[in-house]
Amino acid sequence: MLPFLQDKITARKLLIYTERDGEHPVNAAEITNTTSKTLDGGPVTIFDGGAYAGEALFETLKEGDKRLIGYAVDYGTRITTAFDTGRRNVREIHVKNGTLQLLYGEHQTRTYTIRNVDPKPKTLILQQEGINEYSVLSPKPTERTATAYRFEVKAPANGSQLLKVEEERVYVNSTEIISSTPDFLLTLVENRELTDASRKQLQTVLDLKLRLGQTEASLKLAQNQTADMTEEQTRLRQNIDSLNRVKGQDDQVRKYSSQLADNEAELAKLRDQRSSLTEQKATLDAKVADLIQKLDF
């Protein structure tokens, strides 16, 4: 093979680490094409201090471009990662056509612990994937690729180094207000991101929702009482029917008959109450639905 280029290029020895590689980083060379030619890709052999260090595949490198070439695992360095998923807060609140949109900001801290057991300091390029999910708040990345953030860290000889990466993910959650609970609406009303006008609109919906909830609870109670009393009436009629077949039970029959009459009067009141509560619920349902459709902020 005939060499087509005999020239020095800029190179820097360091380590590369991504979480998918396990706990050990990879020895690497950061190569910058400082020649005036394009370097064709292919296999390369790396020597370090005159000794064989490893092999790698080399991508085509344009003039002035830079590449990281990993060639061997560094067992003298170990990296562990700890996550601290912290607070989530509402950034923005919008309502239109009955749909509530909440813009959330979710904060996360990712702590890398780098342990170097070798008697010499090392330079590490820590590559963090997931650039489309979280944005980095601090520290500022050394470099940003299409899919990852890169941070440069100095690992001391026979020592440890921490790197804390503060991140935030922003996303939108949509829900129908008609199905929202009063407790959920209360958290929105108390949110500082709302304007006074928007808070007033939501407070009106919340008040109606609370009234609706009370009406539904009263209606359910009346329905349960009606069911219990209807069951009691059935039992009394069965007892009266059985006693009528036995002589000498006239007093007991009259007692059950009196209870039956009293219960019938109570049942009539419960039916009226159920009818009134059902109408109230329908009216409140319509008011809530109409008010929600008018919300716009």
Side-chain angles (χ1 to χ4, degrees):
M1 297 178 66
L2 297 178
F4 73 95
L5 174 68
Q6 288 183 337
D7 200 354
K8 289 184 177 181
I9 59 174
T10 301
R12 182 167 67 122
K13 183 182 177 181
L14 41 73
L15 303 176
I16 304 175
Y17 174 76
T18 58
E19 286 186 83
R20 66 173 180 268
D21 295 331
E23 63 177 359
H24 297 290
V26 174
N27 283 301
E30 182 185 71
I31 296 176
T32 303
N33 185 2
T34 53
T35 71
S36 59
K37 299 179 176 63
T38 297
L39 303 180
D40 287 338
V44 293
T45 302
I46 292 90
F47 292 87
D48 186 0
Y52 173 81
E55 296 182 352
L57 287 175
F58 184 77
E59 295 181 5
T60 299
L61 196 61
K62 293 286 188 179
E63 178 186 354
D65 205 354
K66 181 173 64 176
R67 288 286 188 278
L68 288 172
I69 302 175
Y71 55 85
V73 176
D74 177 26
Y75 291 102
T77 306
R78 186 171 70 251
I79 300 173
T80 57
T81 309
F83 291 91
D84 179 16
T85 302
R87 62 191 181 277
R88 184 185 74 165
N89 62 295
V90 178
R91 291 284 194 82
E92 296 178 15
I93 302 174
H94 300 285
V95 178
K96 193 173 184 65
N97 297 326
T99 300
L100 173 71
Q101 284 194 332
L102 300 176
L103 182 67
Y104 286 99
E106 187 176 72
H107 187 269
Q108 174 179 278
T109 302
R110 196 181 307 206
T111 303
Y112 298 93
T113 302
I114 305 155
R115 295 181 176 87
N116 177 21
V117 299
D118 289 333
K120 57 182 179 179
K122 300 174 183 177
T123 299
L124 171 73
I125 297 294
L126 193 149
Q127 183 164 290
Q128 182 173 294
E129 306 290 340
I131 196 169
N132 295 324
E133 297 179 13
Y134 284 87
S135 59
V136 173
L137 302 179
S138 68
K140 184 179 179 180
T142 307
E143 188 179 0
R144 175 174 172 170
T145 69
T147 60
Y149 296 104
R150 287 176 177 169
F151 304 91
E152 184 170 317
V153 185
K154 303 293 184 181
N158 295 312
S160 299
Q161 179 68 38
L162 292 181
L163 173 66
K164 284 191 176 183
V165 180
E166 303 287 338
E167 305 171 290
E168 186 179 53
R169 179 170 70 102
V170 178
Y171 62 95
V172 176
N173 187 10
S174 298
T175 185
E176 298 297 322
I177 297 184
I178 196 68
S179 60
S180 299
T181 65
D183 288 342
F184 177 68
L185 291 178
L186 180 60
T187 62
L188 298 181
V189 169
E190 295 176 345
N191 191 281
R192 292 177 298 177
E193 300 300 324
L194 274 180
T195 64
D196 290 340
S198 300
R199 182 175 290 104
K200 185 177 180 180
Q201 292 183 59
L202 272 185
Q203 182 66 56
T204 304
V205 175
L206 173 59
D207 293 341
L208 279 177
K209 278 266 192 178
L210 290 172
R211 285 178 55 193
L212 179 59
Q214 293 170 353
T215 302
E216 289 174 339
S218 298
L219 178 58
K220 185 176 182 180
L221 177 61
Q223 290 171 337
N224 291 338
Q225 290 175 335
T226 301
D228 291 342
M229 192 161 290
T230 300
E231 185 178 342
E232 175 68 10
Q233 292 292 80
T234 300
R235 186 183 65 81
L236 287 172
R237 289 190 178 93
Q238 290 173 346
N239 289 340
I240 291 172
D241 186 59
S242 297
L243 291 172
N244 281 331
R245 297 189 181 96
V246 181
K247 292 182 179 181
Q249 298 296 324
D250 293 344
D251 290 343
Q252 190 64 38
V253 169
R254 282 193 293 271
K255 180 180 178 181
Y256 283 157
S257 297
S258 177
Q259 291 179 10
L260 192 65
D262 291 342
N263 287 353
E264 283 296 337
E266 188 65 29
L267 271 173
K269 292 180 181 178
L270 283 172
R271 293 188 187 100
D272 291 342
Q273 184 181 1
R274 284 175 53 192
S275 177
S276 175
L277 288 171
T278 301
E279 290 180 5
Q280 292 178 38
K281 180 180 179 303
T283 300
L284 287 172
D285 278 332
K287 286 183 177 180
V288 169
D290 180 64
L291 189 59
I292 288 175
Q293 286 301 314
K294 292 179 180 177
L295 291 177
D296 189 3
F297 57 83

